Amino acid sequence: MARGGGRGGSLKDKLDGNELDLSLCDLSEVPVRELAALPKATVLDLSCNNLVSLPSDFCSLVHLVKLDLSKNRLQQLPLDFGRLVNLQHLDLLNNRLVTLPVSFAQLKNLKWLDLKDNPLDPVLAKVAGDCLDEKQCKQAAVRVLQHMKVIQSEQDRERQRKLQAEREMEKKREAEQRAKEAQERELRKREKAEEKERRRREYDAQKAAKQEMEKKTKKETVQTRKPASSSRPPQPPRHKHSWSRSVLRVLLLVLLCILCTLAVCKLTELQHQPLCISVNTLYEDVVAAVQNHKTLQNMLQQNSQQ
């Protein structure tokens, strides 16, 4: 029989008080769904069957208090076997177990345990010891629970260490990412500054070239106008004009002085002074000479007309 509750009938027919005996039923699988429907069956005997493994939903049978899995072919227990927190008596005699799941440490109510005749890990076998009487089986339960709690603590610490290492690694990656982003920003900033400086140099070069071109054009324009200006008559030197004006001013000043002197000698009481007498005499001689010169010119003109 591979499934079902014995060699005939339902599991409920096999229930005797709180005990359900499914031993020697040639079971290869555990009828978990039927067992879950019998929460009163707190004592379950599955010994002397062909069980190789237990399904994960077997751990939902949290009402179990006593469980006999002896003389099967179990190679391992479900990872969440520790969910059977009400379990007090566990018989795993003569199976093929090497290790126990870490969750085994959660069976805080376990008082009796038999692990004889299993190919246990040497450390676990030494911890479990023999289970030849009631006292040894109880001691085995206590020692195995303590051992599994130590393993659980170590695994928890290792898990925390790995988690901390992962967090630190994540922080390191984030820091490296931030540093990389900052470096990229700095690189972009530097490239932008270099591009701006390049454009400024190009602008300055264009401006300088434009100014140079304007100077060259202006110079060529000036050179073009020079021949036209050279055709003009040469202007007399300015210093000659200045010298002529100076001589003219001196002559006018001398003439003014002579006129003033003559007026003084003619019109004032100084006319009887020796200087004024000489001036007056000279004036009269000059006037007479001018008149004689005019008379001579008139005579010459009359002769020329005749």
Side-chain angles (χ1 to χ4, degrees):
M1 180 180 177
R3 302 179 67 90
R7 293 197 178 105
S10 65
L11 295 183
K12 191 173 183 180
D13 296 335
K14 290 182 174 293
L15 183 61
D16 183 9
N18 65 336
E19 296 183 8
L20 180 61
D21 187 0
L22 297 180
S23 63
L24 301 169
C25 291
D26 197 24
L27 294 174
S28 60
E29 296 183 7
V30 179
V32 177
R33 184 176 299 178
E34 292 83 349
L35 292 173
L38 299 173
K40 293 182 179 180
T42 58
V43 178
L44 177 61
D45 188 354
L46 291 170
S47 63
C48 302
N49 282 292
N50 297 317
L51 300 176
V52 177
S53 63
L54 298 177
S56 59
D57 57 351
F58 180 84
C59 303
S60 64
L61 304 176
V62 294
H63 58 276
L64 294 177
V65 175
K66 184 177 181 179
L67 177 62
D68 189 349
L69 292 169
S70 62
K71 297 181 182 179
N72 279 278
R73 292 183 294 169
L74 295 173
Q75 298 179 3
Q76 62 183 6
L77 298 178
L79 294 177
D80 54 350
F81 192 80
R83 290 174 59 191
L84 303 174
V85 292
N86 293 314
L87 199 59
Q88 299 180 14
H89 187 108
L90 178 60
D91 192 344
L92 294 171
L93 171 71
N94 194 11
N95 277 278
R96 298 178 182 179
L97 298 173
V98 177
T99 60
L100 297 174
V102 179
S103 64
F104 200 90
Q106 299 174 13
L107 301 176
K108 58 183 179 179
N109 292 315
L110 190 64
K111 302 295 189 296
W112 195 98
L113 177 63
D114 188 357
L115 287 172
K116 291 193 311 296
D117 298 331
N118 280 282
L120 295 175
D121 177 80
V123 176
L124 180 58
K126 183 177 180 181
V127 170
D130 292 328
C131 184
L132 302 177
D133 53 31
E134 189 75 11
K135 181 179 179 180
Q136 287 182 345
C137 293
K138 288 182 178 181
Q139 290 176 349
V142 174
R143 289 195 297 267
V144 171
L145 283 178
Q146 290 178 349
H147 177 69
M148 297 310 297
K149 287 180 180 179
V150 171
I151 294 177
Q152 186 180 47
S153 298
E154 290 177 352
Q155 288 191 357
D156 289 343
R157 286 194 295 270
E158 180 65 17
R159 192 180 302 109
Q160 290 295 329
R161 187 190 66 79
K162 288 183 178 180
L163 181 61
Q164 183 66 23
E166 290 177 358
R167 289 176 179 173
E168 291 178 356
M169 185 61 67
E170 183 64 23
K171 290 181 180 179
K172 184 178 179 181
R173 286 195 294 266
E174 291 177 356
E176 291 177 351
Q177 183 64 25
R178 288 194 296 270
K180 183 178 179 180
E181 292 176 355
Q183 186 176 5
E184 290 176 353
R185 286 196 300 271
E186 185 64 26
L187 179 60
R188 289 194 297 269
K189 184 178 179 181
R190 185 164 59 250
E191 290 176 350
K192 186 177 180 180
E194 291 176 354
E195 176 65 17
K196 185 176 181 180
E197 181 62 24
R198 184 186 65 80
R199 288 190 281 107
R200 181 182 287 113
R201 288 197 298 268
E202 290 180 355
Y203 173 79
D204 293 340
Q206 293 175 357
K207 186 175 180 180
K210 184 177 180 181
Q211 291 177 351
E212 185 66 23
M213 183 63 68
E214 290 177 354
K215 289 181 180 179
K216 186 176 180 181
T217 303
K218 186 176 181 180
K219 184 176 181 181
E220 290 177 353
T221 303
V222 171
Q223 290 178 351
T224 304
R225 291 178 178 176
K226 278 185 178 180
S229 62
S230 61
S231 61
R232 297 177 182 177
Q235 299 291 335
R238 291 186 177 182
H239 67 276
K240 291 185 177 181
H241 287 284
S242 300
W243 182 82
S244 299
R245 285 195 295 269
S246 299
V247 172
L248 181 59
R249 288 174 183 175
V250 171
L251 291 176
L252 290 175
L253 182 60
V254 171
L255 180 59
L256 181 61
C257 291
I258 293 173
L259 291 176
C260 291
T261 303
L262 182 61
V264 169
C265 292
K266 284 287 185 179
L267 301 176
T268 63
E269 297 177 353
L270 297 176
Q271 57 184 342
H272 300 291
Q273 296 294 329
L275 178 60
C276 287
I277 294 172
S278 299
V279 169
N280 291 330
T281 303
L282 179 60
Y283 172 72
E284 292 174 354
D285 292 340
V286 170
V287 170
V290 169
Q291 291 177 349
N292 292 330
H293 180 67
K294 288 183 178 182
T295 302
L296 180 62
Q297 285 183 347
N298 293 328
M299 291 176 66
L300 290 175
Q301 288 179 356
Q302 291 176 0
N303 292 328
S304 63
Q305 290 176 355
Q306 292 177 359

